[in-house]
Amino acid sequence: MMARAWLWLRSVLFRGRLDRDMDEEMSAHLRRATERFEASGLSSDAARTAAHREFGNVAAIKEEARDARGGRGLESIVADLRYGARGLSRTPFAALTMIVVFALGIGCNAALFLFISSLVNSPLPGMSRDNSLVRIRGIERRAGISVGRSSRIPSTATTRRSRRCFRPSPPGHRRTSCSM
Amino acid sequence: MASSSTPLLQGTLDLIVLQLLHAEPTNGYDLALRIQNTTGEVLAVPAGSLYPALYRLEQRGLIRGAWQATDSGRRAKVYSLTRAGISHLNNQREAWHRFSGALTAILRVS
């Protein structure tokens, strides 16, 4: 696992060196193929052409080999970020406006979320969180399917009669359901 | 190297590369020639398939490439199997024997 992670990191960090290695490896392949064709009687030009024909499209093969080496996802993210940064630096006022609009939008959302969250989820000011308080929510089973419904007054009376559900829970334990 | 006379079955290139490198560590060019010579020129793997396969196997930690000086005084990247590569090869070889045995049994059905 660590070895795989290192290989992936290597393909990202040492991309230049790995590319040079790949160039050298493929050039060596082409050179030896050319020598083989020359030895079979072809002129050096014809041998070079034959070697390239046999090898295939060098640029496309390099591209495929880079894909096989991995780390392309991160490379393309970095390239996209650079492209974006260059675009923004060309139009600084538009970039500034966008940043301010985004900052205001995110700030408003965060403030609203905090407000609603403290209103709904936290106890009212001056009240401590009391474990003996429970939220009563009715679930009705119709033909084997559970259907949520809000509690009505009569069922609240039934709930009051059933004291079994309202024994204090042990510390750290939260009762999630109780049938009556 | 002539163009491939028989197309490779999907997924067999890795097995071929691992087996030949297990027999003898070598560089990409000699490996391509050896595939062709060993199979009596029935199989020929073009560079466009061989190098991506080598890099993929290296990336998966199954083979390791190291630059070595050759007899002609040049450098060549020689690939050899790692321990993970040997165990992967054994598994793949076993799977291939099972698969080819089963396929042969089917082809005998008349």
Side-chain angles (χ1 to χ4, degrees), chain B residues 8 11-27 30-32 34-35 38-39 43 45 50 53-54 57 62-64 79-82 84-97:
Chain B
L8 278 181
T12 50
L13 179 57
D14 287 2
L15 182 60
I16 292 170
V17 169
L18 288 174
Q19 175 65 40
L20 290 177
L21 290 180
H22 184 51
E24 189 187 346
T26 191
N27 59 66
D30 287 326
L31 185 62
R34 206 184 298 165
I35 292 171
T38 312
T39 61
L43 299 180
V45 178
L50 183 64
L54 283 171
L57 291 171
L62 301 179
I63 63 172
R64 174 189 311 120
Y79 293 96
S80 56
L81 255 66
T82 60
I86 293 171
S87 119
H88 185 77
L89 171 65
N90 288 334
N91 291 339
Q92 289 296 300
R93 212 164 19 196
E94 209 174 292
W96 174 257
H97 285 314

Side-chain angles (χ1 to χ4, degrees), chain A residues 4 7-8 10-11 21-22 24-26 28-29 31-33 35-37 54-55 61 64-65 68-70, chain B residues 1-2 27-30 32-33 46-48 51-56 58-61 67 74-75 77 79:
Chain A
R4 291 283 298 273
L7 285 167
W8 182 83
R10 189 188 72 142
S11 69
D21 278 359
M22 183 167 67
E24 189 178 340
E25 191 177 15
M26 292 188 182
H29 186 119
R31 192 179 55 238
R32 290 193 59 192
E35 286 166 2
R36 193 181 79 241
F37 281 115
E54 181 188 82
F55 192 89
I61 292 170
E64 225 176 295
R69 208 171 55 200
Chain B
M1 276 176 268
N27 59 66
Y29 177 79
D30 287 326
L33 280 186
Y51 283 102
L54 283 171
Y55 292 140
R56 196 176 53 246
E58 193 180 19
Q59 190 60 31
R60 287 171 64 193
W67 288 96
R74 288 168 176 156
R75 280 190 345 143
K77 195 175 179 188
Y79 293 96

